[in-house]
């Protein structure tokens, strides 16, 4: 037999199948990881993607597999098919596509099963009684207290880690034949918290109607439900249906910070094991959760974007909660989207796909209207609760009245009332740090990062200036390095300064802050969630992390402090993102009783703000889609962004010019399908000492033309210049 192997080298020159002979008595199956000889290298890892009885090559020219790396198939047949889809869809190598299916630490054997030496009691009944008698004096008192204590503990537990017992006592009992030492596998568990099982909730008539429509046999659904409408209960019932049919389920959430809350909900309702997949796990935890699924112990997978690749077999449903979030698109090349991967996995398994959101992506809702998804609407909150009233505060008037803080008079009054009532508030500002930039008022000098073409943010708690792109820090200066005058001033504000202002206004309030600066430690998000849910704090201040799916029963006030920071981003999605953020943070308030939302803005009449005030998604969609059709923006067209970066600007510019020349030759016969081509500096020209340029191609929707650009991109390489490609990029800058 011959094995068809993809070597674990992501390079276009070796992006093909290699054949290897399978030695006699070596059990090799498709999906197994193997070690193989390759080229001038001594050996390398590979994945077996198929078996053949014959080969087109001469037998003496075919090398043998050295050994299997596991005694099980690391990949399923479906995952191998999925990798082929990724290779075609994102024009990448098959090796790169296969890597998505495996924990990174598995490759190269950097992590494995964790074992522990344990002490196991061997005896019982009369035999154990004789050993116990040997530990006593004639008068019945204990002669060997350490052995007696160890034996007593083992009688209670049966087996314990050797590290928890007295070593000399264990050795003595082992000589007596009372115990044995064994090596046992132990699991590294991400969530240790004990969860109490609860009964099912009664379903509303709307929930019953939605479930009936899903059970009727459809395959793709867009669950458009307002915040607090009971979408999670739909997810749970659909997953339970799948498990009852012997199938498995994946539930995706957009943020790592949401996994503890969602895991708790699931554990309260399911007896089955739940595996958790996200980048915040340690290498060992990630491996153990992956193995839990491989061994069939877990039938439900919960996680962020990467969980879409979980090695579940017989998949019944994939649910993408908060489907509008940009975090579902990969940051690194190839820039896949969880939606596309989920859609293909559901096709391969004849499974159900559910996208859920109070504010669906414009493109998703557009496809729903065209019939690609069945739109299921849940327009009302549970228990007869109304969506919170949204009060718009015009910050221009605040400025006229002499208020230069980020807390308007209206927000101050509501915070005071909320605290007096013993309730909680959430304040949203999409900027971390204390001040957003430092400038000299004499000469206009602005402190920038030495490695990136961006201003540095002041962090008062550490008294440092920090670059939010490369992490470089500086000590703040008191005089301007350009003109020598002591006129450096801090401008703008971030979450740290908001925290300081709120503390000054409400010194008795207990405040938590959630941003990248406070969430750096492992499990920090779990502790914050538990503390705020237990009402150990009155006010939660945060960036966009706090807008996504949190459900706190005592939150009756939420506020968007500066809607304009999102509205004025130079991106065609800025209105959409503003509407989504306002609606989502508004949705955190009034989940169990009436709530209030304060929206502070300098642009109160903008259509995104006005539609958000009335929680009117359909009204916003209709206005936004009309504008996009008029301007020929997605979903009526496609953007292809080609990225070029390098340490020497002249080399990057030369690469851009060369690629433009090649691009014109490819696109010239299809000029009717091209709206525009523009080459320019990136909005942030330098990051991490790399000069950045891009080519932005605006096309009429034409997958064939996009494929030709992909092909040209893969065929073109430059010395000392890194390149990347992105379709409809999340960040247009």
């Amino acid at each position: 037999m011959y094995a068809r192997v993809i070597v674990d080298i992501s390079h276009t020159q070796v992006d093909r199948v290699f054949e290897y002979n399978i030695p006699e008595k070596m059990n090799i199956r498709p999906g197994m990881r193997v070690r193989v000889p390759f080229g001038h290298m001594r050996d390398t890892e590979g994945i077996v993607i198929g078996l053949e009885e014959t080969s087109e090559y001469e037998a003496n020219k075919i090398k043998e597999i050295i050994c299997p790396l596991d005694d099980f198939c690391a990949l399923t047949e479906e995952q191998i098919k999925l990798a082929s889809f990724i290779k075609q869809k994102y024009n990448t190598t098959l090796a790169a596509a296969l890597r998505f299916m495996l924990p990174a630490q598995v490759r190269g054997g950097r992590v494995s099963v964790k074992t522990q030496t344990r002490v196991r009691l061997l005896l019982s009944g009369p035999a154990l009684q004789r050993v116990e008698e040997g530990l006593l004096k004639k008068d019945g008192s204990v002669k060997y207290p350490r052995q007696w204590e160890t034996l007593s503990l083992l009688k209670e537990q049966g087996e314990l880690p050797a590290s928890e017992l007295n070593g000399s006592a264990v050795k003595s009992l082992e000589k007596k034949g009372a115990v044995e030492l064994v090596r046992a596998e132990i699991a590294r568990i991400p969530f240790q918290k004990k969860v109490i099982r609860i009964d099912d909730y009664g379903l509303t008539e709307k929930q019953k109607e939605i479930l009936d429509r899903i059970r009727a046999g459809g395959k793709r659904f867009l669950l458009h439900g307002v915040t607090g409408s009971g979408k999670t209960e739909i997810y749970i019932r659909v997953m339970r249906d799948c498990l009852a049919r012997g199938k498995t389920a994946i539930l995706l959430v957009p943020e790592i910070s949401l996994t503890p809350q969602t895991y708790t909900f699931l554990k309260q309702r399911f007896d089955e094991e739940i595996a958790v997949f996200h980048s915040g796990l340690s290498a060992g935890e990630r491996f153990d959760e992956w193995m839990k699924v491989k061994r069939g112990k877990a039938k439900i997978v919960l996680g962020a974007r990467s969980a879409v690749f979980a090695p579940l077999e017989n998949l019944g449903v994939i649910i993408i909660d908060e489907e509008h979030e940009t975090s579902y698109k990969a940051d690194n090349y190839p820039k896949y989207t969880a939606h596309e991967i989920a859609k293909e996995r559901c096709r391969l398994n004849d499974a159900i796909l559910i996208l859920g959101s109070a504010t669906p992506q414009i493109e998703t809702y557009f496809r729903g209207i065209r019939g690609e998804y069945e739109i299921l609407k849940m327009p009302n909150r549970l228990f007869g609760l109304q969506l919170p009233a949204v009060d718009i505060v015009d910050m221009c008037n605040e400025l006229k009245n002499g208020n230069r803080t980020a807390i308007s008079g209206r927000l101050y009054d509501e915070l005071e009332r909320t605290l007096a009532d013993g309730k909680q508030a959430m304040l949203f500002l999409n900027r971390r740090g204390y001040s957003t930039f430092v400038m000299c008022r004499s000469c206009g000098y602005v402190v920038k990062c030495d490695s990136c073409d961006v201003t540095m943010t002041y962090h008062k708690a550490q008294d440092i200036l920090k670059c939010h792109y490369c992490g470089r820090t500086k000590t703040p200066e008191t005089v301007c390095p350009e003109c020598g005058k002591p006129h450096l001033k801090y401008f703008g504000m971030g979450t740290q300064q908001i925290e300081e202002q709120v503390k000054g206004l409400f010194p008795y309030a207990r405040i938590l802050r959630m941003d990248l600066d406070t969430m750096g430690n492992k499990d920090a998000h779990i502790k914050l969630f538990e503390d705020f849910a237990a009402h150990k704090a009155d006010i939660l201040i945060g960036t966009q992390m706090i807008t996504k799916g949190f459900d706190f029963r005592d939150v009756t006030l939420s506020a968007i402090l500066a809607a304009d920071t999102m509205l004025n981003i130079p991106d065609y999605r800025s209105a959409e993102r503003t509407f989504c953020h306002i609606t989502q943070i508004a949705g955190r308030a009034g989940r169990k009783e009436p709530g209030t939302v304060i929206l502070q803005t300098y642009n109160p009449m903008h259509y995104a703000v006005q539609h958000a005030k009335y929680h009117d998604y359909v009204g916003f969609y209709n206005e936004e889609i009309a504008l996009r059709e008029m301007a020929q923006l997605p979903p009526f067209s496609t953007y292809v962004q080609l990225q070029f970066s390098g340490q020497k600007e002249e080399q990057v510019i030369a690469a851009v010019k060369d690629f433009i020349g090649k691009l014109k030759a490819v696109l010239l016969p299809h000029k009717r399908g091209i709206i525009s081509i523009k080459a320019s500096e990136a909005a942030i020209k330098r990051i991490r000492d790399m000069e950045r340029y891009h080519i932005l191609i605006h096309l009429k929707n034409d997958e064939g033309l996009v494929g030709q650009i992909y092909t040209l991109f893969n065929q073109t390489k430059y010395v000392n210049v890194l390149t990347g490609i992105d379709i409809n990029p999340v960040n247009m800058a």
Side-chain angles (χ1 to χ4, degrees):
M1 292 291 291
Y2 299 93
R4 304 180 75 242
V5 175
I6 295 294
V7 294
D8 189 21
I9 301 171
S10 184
H11 196 288
T12 52
Q13 291 184 354
V14 293
D15 185 29
R16 62 184 182 86
V17 176
F18 294 89
E19 290 187 359
Y20 287 88
N21 185 36
I22 303 174
E24 286 187 32
K25 298 182 180 178
M26 187 181 286
N27 181 20
I28 298 295
R29 289 163 286 157
M32 292 186 80
R33 297 190 313 127
V34 291
R35 186 161 294 284
V36 293
F38 187 75
H40 298 297
M41 302 168 64
R42 282 183 291 180
D43 54 66
T44 189
E45 290 185 20
I47 294 284
V48 178
I49 64 167
L51 302 177
E52 298 286 349
E53 292 186 0
T54 59
S55 173
E56 60 185 70
Y57 302 102
E58 295 178 23
N60 62 348
K61 292 185 178 180
I62 302 177
K63 297 177 181 178
E64 284 193 341
I65 291 175
I66 298 170
C67 64
L69 292 171
D70 311 296
D71 58 1
F72 59 88
C73 293
L75 300 184
T76 65
E77 181 183 349
E78 182 230 325
Q79 286 180 304
I80 294 171
K81 291 179 181 176
L82 184 65
S84 294
F85 166 79
I86 293 170
K87 171 183 166 63
Q88 295 299 322
K89 178 73 178 177
Y90 301 104
N91 222 274
T92 187
T93 65
L94 196 52
L98 288 166
R99 287 176 183 177
F100 286 126
M101 318 294 167
L102 295 166
Q105 292 77 11
V106 170
R107 295 168 44 239
R110 286 172 284 171
V111 69
S112 59
V113 171
K114 184 179 180 180
T115 59
Q116 179 186 67
T117 301
R118 297 180 70 83
V119 182
R120 183 179 295 161
L121 184 62
L122 292 176
L123 304 178
S124 61
L128 179 59
Q129 190 175 349
R130 284 193 294 273
V131 172
E132 288 179 312
E133 289 171 353
L135 302 179
L136 302 174
K137 297 177 183 177
K138 290 182 180 180
D139 62 3
S141 60
V142 178
K143 184 178 181 181
Y144 302 105
R146 289 179 179 174
Q147 292 182 50
W148 182 268
E149 182 185 2
T150 300
L151 202 58
S152 298
L153 288 169
L154 290 170
K155 280 172 67 179
E156 289 178 14
Q157 303 291 331
E159 185 179 303
L160 285 168
S163 59
E164 295 180 11
L165 300 170
N166 181 274
S168 59
V170 169
K171 284 183 181 179
S172 299
L173 291 171
E174 188 180 20
K175 288 177 182 177
K176 294 179 173 70
V179 303
E180 68 172 344
L181 295 175
V182 295
R183 291 295 294 177
E185 183 180 325
I186 59 169
R188 291 156 284 206
I189 303 171
F191 300 128
Q192 300 281 0
K193 184 181 176 182
K194 189 175 180 180
V195 178
I196 299 171
R197 187 80 157 75
I198 63 173
D199 295 331
D200 283 348
Y201 299 105
L203 295 175
T204 65
E205 289 304 314
K206 174 55 72 173
Q207 287 174 322
K208 290 176 184 175
E209 177 192 324
I210 297 291
L211 279 170
D212 286 343
R213 287 173 66 180
I214 294 172
R215 288 165 176 165
K219 292 300 178 185
R220 291 183 186 174
F221 299 95
L222 171 58
L223 186 56
H224 180 206
V226 299
T227 55
S229 60
K231 295 189 292 293
T232 304
E233 191 63 26
I234 299 292
Y235 302 157
I236 287 171
R237 300 301 176 99
V238 173
M239 287 191 288
R240 187 175 291 164
D241 287 351
C242 288
L243 296 181
R245 299 197 309 272
K247 294 183 176 292
T248 58
I250 294 175
L251 173 58
L252 301 183
V253 292
E255 281 279 351
I256 293 171
S257 57
L258 286 175
T259 52
Q261 171 182 277
T262 312
Y263 179 81
T264 300
F265 288 159
L266 296 181
K267 286 300 290 182
Q268 287 175 335
R269 307 292 295 283
F270 289 97
D271 295 323
E272 289 83 2
E273 281 273 3
I274 299 167
V276 178
F277 282 48
H278 62 68
S279 60
L281 303 181
S282 69
E285 287 171 343
R286 205 173 307 172
F287 176 80
D288 284 355
E289 294 297 288
W290 181 77
M291 284 299 295
K292 191 193 294 184
V293 177
K294 285 301 303 175
R295 291 170 175 170
K297 290 183 179 179
K299 303 295 184 186
I300 299 172
V301 167
L302 164 68
R305 181 180 64 228
S306 61
V308 76
F309 298 108
L312 285 170
E313 297 191 58
N314 203 16
L315 195 60
V317 65
I318 299 179
I319 299 164
I320 304 181
D321 192 27
E322 310 290 0
E323 74 84 28
H324 61 278
E325 288 292 346
T326 57
S327 54
Y328 284 123
K329 183 162 187 173
D331 302 316
N332 301 318
Y333 180 74
K335 295 193 173 187
Y336 71 89
T337 64
H339 298 63
E340 292 291 348
I341 305 301
K343 201 182 296 181
E344 178 64 11
R345 287 202 74 175
C346 288
R347 188 191 69 79
L348 291 170
N349 287 275
D350 193 30
I352 298 168
L353 174 63
I354 299 177
L355 309 180
S357 177
T359 55
Q361 293 181 69
I362 294 295
E363 289 91 336
T364 302
Y365 202 79
F366 178 76
R367 293 187 185 110
I369 288 174
R370 293 178 62 181
E372 292 183 38
Y373 300 100
E374 182 179 349
I375 301 176
L376 307 175
K377 295 192 175 185
M378 301 178 73
N380 301 310
R381 280 189 161 182
L382 295 173
F383 317 117
L385 285 171
Q386 298 299 309
L387 287 164
V390 178
D391 288 352
I392 298 176
V393 177
D394 188 342
M395 295 303 284
C396 292
N397 293 332
E398 291 290 313
L399 199 60
K400 289 175 186 174
N401 294 330
N403 181 6
R404 297 183 179 277
T405 72
I407 309 297
S408 65
R410 178 79 176 89
L411 178 54
Y412 176 88
D413 292 341
E414 283 300 326
L415 279 170
E416 191 172 48
R417 184 178 296 110
T418 300
L419 296 172
D421 291 342
K423 300 300 181 182
Q424 292 174 295
M426 295 175 72
L427 308 183
F428 166 71
L429 179 69
N430 209 26
R431 286 179 182 154
R432 61 189 174 108
Y434 187 85
S435 295
T436 50
F437 66 98
V438 182
M439 185 177 75
C440 175
R441 288 175 293 171
S442 291
C443 68
Y445 166 79
V446 177
V447 181
K448 288 191 174 184
C449 175
D450 294 334
S451 299
C452 309
D453 189 26
V454 293
T455 58
M456 301 191 83
T457 301
Y458 179 58
H459 289 248
K460 190 175 182 180
Q462 301 86 18
D463 191 31
I464 58 170
L465 291 166
K466 187 175 183 179
C467 174
H468 287 172
Y469 284 84
C470 71
R472 182 187 287 268
T473 60
K474 283 183 183 179
T475 302
E477 298 183 61
T478 55
V479 297
C480 175
E482 287 287 315
C483 67
K485 295 180 180 178
H487 293 159
L488 289 174
K489 182 175 173 58
Y490 300 95
F491 292 88
M493 61 179 62
T495 48
Q496 283 185 15
Q497 190 171 160
I498 297 299
E499 182 181 16
E500 183 180 276
Q501 287 187 14
V502 174
K503 279 180 178 176
L505 294 170
F506 305 100
Y508 54 88
R510 298 165 299 171
I511 300 171
L512 288 173
R513 179 162 52 87
M514 188 177 195
D515 53 31
L516 284 177
D517 299 318
T518 60
M519 294 293 105
N521 296 330
K522 188 176 183 297
D523 296 335
H525 53 281
I526 298 175
K527 186 176 187 315
L528 183 141
F529 167 75
E530 290 177 345
D531 286 350
F532 199 61
H535 209 140
K536 292 181 180 178
D538 306 302
I539 300 171
L540 175 60
I541 298 168
T543 55
Q544 59 183 356
M545 289 181 178
I546 70 170
T547 68
K548 302 172 183 178
F550 281 124
D551 187 355
F552 299 112
R553 64 179 306 113
D554 288 342
V555 172
T556 57
L557 172 65
S558 59
I560 299 94
L561 301 184
D564 308 275
T565 58
M566 300 169 288
L567 203 52
N568 295 322
I569 294 171
D571 191 311
Y572 71 89
R573 298 188 190 89
S574 61
E576 178 185 0
R577 287 177 183 162
T578 300
F579 178 86
C580 286
H581 275 108
I582 294 171
T583 304
Q584 291 294 331
I585 192 65
R588 300 316 112 212
R591 307 281 288 201
K592 298 297 183 288
E593 56 185 278
T596 301
V597 181
I598 304 296
L599 170 56
Q600 300 184 168
T601 177
Y602 289 93
N603 199 349
M605 298 312 296
H606 191 282
Y607 69 96
V609 173
Q610 285 296 313
H611 286 299
K613 174 181 172 67
Y614 298 105
H615 308 280
D616 181 14
Y617 175 83
V618 173
F620 170 75
Y621 170 83
N622 288 334
E623 193 159 350
E624 178 70 10
I625 203 73
L627 289 171
R628 291 200 190 183
E629 185 173 20
M630 192 187 310
Q632 281 295 286
L633 296 169
F636 302 100
S637 63
T638 301
Y639 279 108
V640 180
Q641 187 186 65
L642 297 152
Q643 302 138 352
F644 299 79
S645 60
Q647 292 185 335
K648 294 184 178 179
E649 186 173 13
E650 62 272 19
Q651 291 180 335
V652 179
I653 293 172
V656 171
K657 288 180 177 178
D658 177 75
F659 197 90
I660 284 282
K662 290 182 169 67
L663 195 61
K664 285 180 178 178
V666 170
L667 298 182
L668 190 60
H670 310 279
K671 58 184 178 181
R672 288 185 178 179
I674 303 166
I675 298 172
S676 66
I677 302 175
K678 181 183 178 184
S680 65
E681 298 176 352
I684 302 173
K685 186 170 175 289
R686 190 174 77 258
I687 294 180
R688 299 179 189 273
D689 291 319
M690 300 289 277
E691 302 293 333
R692 303 168 69 244
Y693 283 74
H694 65 212
I695 301 170
L696 191 63
I697 310 166
H698 192 187
L699 304 171
K700 294 177 182 177
N701 288 330
D702 186 337
E703 287 193 14
L705 203 50
V706 172
Q708 289 187 51
I709 296 171
Y710 257 130
T711 301
L712 176 62
F713 169 78
N714 285 331
Q715 292 173 346
T716 310
K717 303 297 176 188
Y718 298 101
V719 178
N720 299 325
V721 176
L722 299 176
T723 57
I725 186 170
D726 195 2
I727 308 301
N728 290 331
V730 167
N731 181 6
M732 296 291 289

